[in-house]
C-alpha cells in the first residue's frame, strides 16, 4: 500500500523525542550513574526508533480507514475539522484491546527468569506491565491518532 504523497512526510519525531526523555524514561530509570553509556545510548536509540515506527504507522492506518469509507472522511477533511476526524478515527474498544495486548506481551516477554530455589512462584517483571499499558493509553495511541488526523488533513491535497 502506498501513502498519499502529501501525507507521507508527516514527522512527529521531535514530539516523540520530548515524550521519551521527559515522560517515559522517568517511569523506568533509577537515579545514579552506572557508567554504561554506550549500551544506554543504544537502548535509547532502539526505543526511540521503535516508538517512531509504531506511531508513524498511523499514516497507513489512516489511509486504510479513508479508503474503506471516503464518504465519511471527506466532509471532515474538506472542513479541516480535526475533532470530527478524531471522532471518526477513535474506537475505544480497539484501544482497550491494544492496551490489554501490550500488557499481556509485557507479562510474557518481560519476565525476569531465574533458576534458583525461589519459593515465591509469582512472576517478576523487568518493567511493570501496567506501566506499558499506561504508556500506550496516555501517549502512544494519542500520538498515533494525531498522525492519522494530520495525514487525513493532507489526503485530498
Amino acid at each position: 500500500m502506498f501513502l498519499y504523497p502529501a501525507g507521507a512526510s508527516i514527522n512527529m519525531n521531535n514530539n516523540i523525542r520530548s515524550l521519551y526523555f521527559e515522560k517515559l524514561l522517568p517511569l523506568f530509570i533509577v537515579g545514579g550513574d552506572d557508567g554504561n553509556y554506550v549500551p544506554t545510548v543504544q537502548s535509547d536509540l532502539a526505543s526511540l526508533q521503535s516508538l517512531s515506527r509504531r506511531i508513524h504507522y498511523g499514516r497507513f492506518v489512516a489511509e486504510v480507514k479513508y479508503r474503506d469509507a471516503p464518504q465519511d472522511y471527506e466532509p471532515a477533511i474538506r472542513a479541516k475539522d480535526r475533532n470530527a476526524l478524531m471522532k471518526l478515527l477513535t474506537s475505544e474498544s480497539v484501544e482497550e484491546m491494544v492496551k490489554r495486548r501490550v500488557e499481556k506481551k509485557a507479562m510474557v516477554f518481560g519476565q525476569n527468569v531465574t533458576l534458583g530455589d525461589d519459593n515465591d512462584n509469582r512472576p517478576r517483571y523487568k518493567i511493570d506491565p501496567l506501566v506499558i499499558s499506561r504508556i500506550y493509553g496516555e501517549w502512544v495511541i494519542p500520538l498515533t491518532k494525531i498522525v492519522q488526523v494530520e495525514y487525513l488533513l493532507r489526503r485530498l491535497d
Side-chain angles (χ1 to χ4, degrees):
M1 169 186 307
F2 291 42
L3 293 174
Y4 195 72
S9 64
I10 294 166
N11 186 324
M12 297 290 288
N13 285 331
N14 286 336
N15 301 63
I16 294 166
R17 182 188 177 283
S18 296
L19 164 71
Y20 181 76
F21 287 108
E22 295 170 15
K23 304 279 186 189
L24 301 184
L25 272 186
L27 296 173
F28 302 117
I29 60 173
V30 293
D33 183 349
D34 63 4
N36 290 318
Y37 307 123
V38 172
T40 298
V41 169
Q42 290 171 330
S43 294
D44 285 339
L45 181 59
S47 296
L48 284 163
Q49 287 174 329
S50 294
L51 276 170
S52 178
R53 188 175 311 111
R54 167 60 176 81
I55 290 166
H56 286 98
Y57 277 154
R59 297 175 301 184
F60 293 98
V61 173
E63 180 64 23
V64 168
K65 288 180 178 183
Y66 174 81
R67 286 185 185 187
D68 283 347
Q71 70 283 355
D72 295 339
Y73 288 93
E74 284 183 15
I77 293 169
R78 291 189 195 291
K80 304 286 187 203
D81 189 341
R82 293 175 190 284
N83 292 332
L85 289 170
M86 188 64 76
K87 191 173 184 176
L88 285 166
L89 293 166
T90 299
S91 171
E92 291 181 19
S93 63
V94 171
E95 291 176 18
E96 285 302 315
M97 180 194 63
V98 168
K99 291 188 318 189
R100 286 194 320 269
R101 189 186 81 234
V102 296
E103 182 181 344
K104 182 70 172 176
K105 283 185 175 185
M107 293 170 113
V108 171
F109 298 109
Q111 292 186 44
N112 282 320
V113 178
T114 60
L115 299 176
D117 292 331
D118 190 0
N119 291 331
D120 184 7
N121 290 329
R122 290 178 296 158
R124 291 198 169 82
Y125 303 108
K126 297 172 188 171
I127 299 170
D128 182 351
L130 291 174
V131 170
I132 302 300
S133 178
R134 177 179 165 209
I135 288 169
Y136 267 74
E138 291 183 26
W139 296 296
V140 174
I141 292 171
L143 271 176
T144 303
K145 291 189 327 187
I146 290 170
V147 165
Q148 291 177 16
V149 168
E150 293 303 316
Y151 178 84
L152 289 170
L153 287 172
R154 293 166 177 81
R155 181 60 179 78
L156 300 179
D157 290 350

